Amino acid sequence: MEDCLFCKIIAGDIPSTMIYEDEDTYAFYDIHPQTKAHALVVSKRHVPDLERNTALTDHELAACLRACATVARLMGLAQSGYRVVNNCGEDACQTVKHLHFHVLGGQKMAERMA
Ligand code: 5GP
Ligand code: ZN
């Protein structure tokens, strides 16, 4: 999609620090990390949010979750643990309207998420 920040990052038009890539997903460091380790995993196909997940194949959707685990391992979080977050829509304060998952870790996090 033309005016989408993450589509531009996937295309390489906006620079990012890549952690992992496969045919369905692209993962890179968040520009404003909220924890010591903070990555974003995005679906390569543009879908605005998780609510519109049926626009992706089961394979593409599963690839996102698998990529989260791979990225966590690549960031050295497999043993210590990590959190995967998806913000969907207004109440969740989603700012970029392209499906993405936050992989957070590297420190002890709050027990409550809201
Ligand atoms: P959301 O709030 O939509 O769940 O998450 C969007 C995330 O994208 C935020 O954590 C924000 O820091 C990150 N972000 C926004 N613009 C850029 C950018 O240009 N590059 C990178 N690497 N991350 C970005
Ligand atoms: Zn997009």
Side-chain angles (χ1 to χ4, degrees):
M1 183 175 261
E2 266 180 26
D3 227 22
C4 171
L5 174 67
F6 287 171
C7 281
K8 287 178 184 162
I9 284 178
I10 293 163
D13 296 337
I14 292 176
S16 66
T17 306
M18 189 190 83
I19 303 169
Y20 172 77
E21 182 177 24
D22 61 33
E23 63 176 353
D24 299 310
T25 70
Y26 182 76
F28 53 102
Y29 287 103
D30 196 293
I31 203 166
H32 293 126
Q34 291 177 36
T35 48
K36 283 182 183 161
H38 185 175
L40 297 171
V41 172
V42 307
S43 60
K44 280 196 173 168
R45 193 129 69 99
H46 179 89
V47 183
D49 55 36
L50 193 61
E51 189 59 23
R52 262 63 72 86
N53 73 80
T54 52
L56 295 179
T57 65
D58 288 356
H59 181 85
E60 288 170 320
L61 197 55
C64 288
L65 213 47
R66 289 219 166 88
C68 289
T70 300
V71 163
R73 182 168 41 76
L74 291 172
M75 290 198 297
L77 306 176
Q79 297 303 317
S80 52
Y82 53 92
R83 181 171 286 164
V84 175
V85 172
N86 171 257
N87 294 323
C88 180
E90 204 175 319
D91 276 4
C93 304
Q94 181 184 0
T95 57
V96 180
K97 313 296 188 209
H98 178 130
L99 180 65
H100 58 280
F101 296 86
H102 299 256
V103 181
L104 301 150
Q107 64 189 68
K108 188 78 174 171
M109 282 170 276
E111 283 180 34
R112 292 176 183 272
M113 285 188 284

